[in-house]
C-alpha cells in the first residue's frame, strides 16, 4: 500500500517525526512573518509561499530541511551562506542545529522584494 500524497501543508507536516515537525513549523512561521499576505499551499508536493508567483518552497528530509528561495536569492547571500551547505537553489538546514532565523528572514525578504520590484521569475 502506498501513502497518499498530502493534500495541504498541515498533512505534509504531520508525516514527519516530532523534531522535524517543530523545525518545519518554526521555518514556516518565520516565512509567514516576512510575507503574511502570501498564499500557502503545496506546490510540487512541498509547502510553497506564493504572491504573484512562487516565492519560496520548503522540503523536509530525514536529517535536514531545505529552504528553496531561488538561485538568485542564494547568489545574493553567498557570503552569509558560507557556513551552510547550499546548492544552486537551496539552503540545507540541519535538524540538529538552530535555525538561522535572521538570515532566513533576510533571504525571504530579498526574494519577496525581487518579485515585487523586478517581477523576478522562479528560476
Amino acid at each position: 500500500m502506498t501513502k497518499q500524497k498530502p493534500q495541504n501543508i498541515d498533512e505534509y507536516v504531520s508525516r514527519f517525526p516530532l523534531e522535524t515537525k517543530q523545525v518545519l513549523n518554526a521555518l514556516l512561521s518565520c516565512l509567514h512573518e516576512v510575507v503574511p499576505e502570501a498564499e500557502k499551499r503545496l506546490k510540487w508536493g512541498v509547502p510553497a509561499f506564493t504572491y504573484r508567483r512562487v516565492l519560496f518552497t520548503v522540503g523536509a528530509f530525514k536529517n535536514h530541511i531545505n529552504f528553496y528561495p531561488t538561485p538568485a536569492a542564494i547568489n545574493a547571500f553567498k557570503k552569509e551562506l558560507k557556513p551552510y551547505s547550499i546548492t544552486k537553489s537551496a539552503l540545507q538546514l540541519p535538524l540538529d542545529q538552530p535555525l538561522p532565523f535572521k538570515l532566513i528572514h533576510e533571504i525571504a525578504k530579498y526574494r519577496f522584494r525581487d518579485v515585487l520590484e523586478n517581477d523576478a521569475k522562479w528560476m
Side-chain angles (χ1 to χ4, degrees), residues 28-103:
L28 294 171
S29 292
C30 176
L31 296 174
H32 175 74
E33 287 175 16
V34 176
V35 191
E37 61 269 67
E39 180 183 351
K40 293 167 279 304
R41 62 187 173 99
L42 293 181
K43 181 90 171 152
W44 306 298
V46 297
F49 286 69
T50 59
Y51 186 89
R52 296 189 187 168
R53 65 183 71 258
V54 176
L55 297 171
F56 23 80
T57 63
V58 173
F61 300 89
K62 183 178 180 179
N63 297 311
H64 68 278
I65 293 176
N66 276 358
F67 170 46
Y68 302 93
T70 73
I74 293 290
N75 265 351
F77 288 86
K78 270 232 162 123
K79 181 180 170 189
E80 295 87 343
L81 293 171
K82 283 211 183 272
Y84 303 94
S85 179
I86 61 171
T87 67
K88 179 177 83 168
S89 60
L91 166 59
Q92 190 178 88
L93 302 162
L95 292 172
D96 63 353
Q97 295 176 17
L99 288 175
F101 287 113
K102 184 176 183 218
L103 180 58

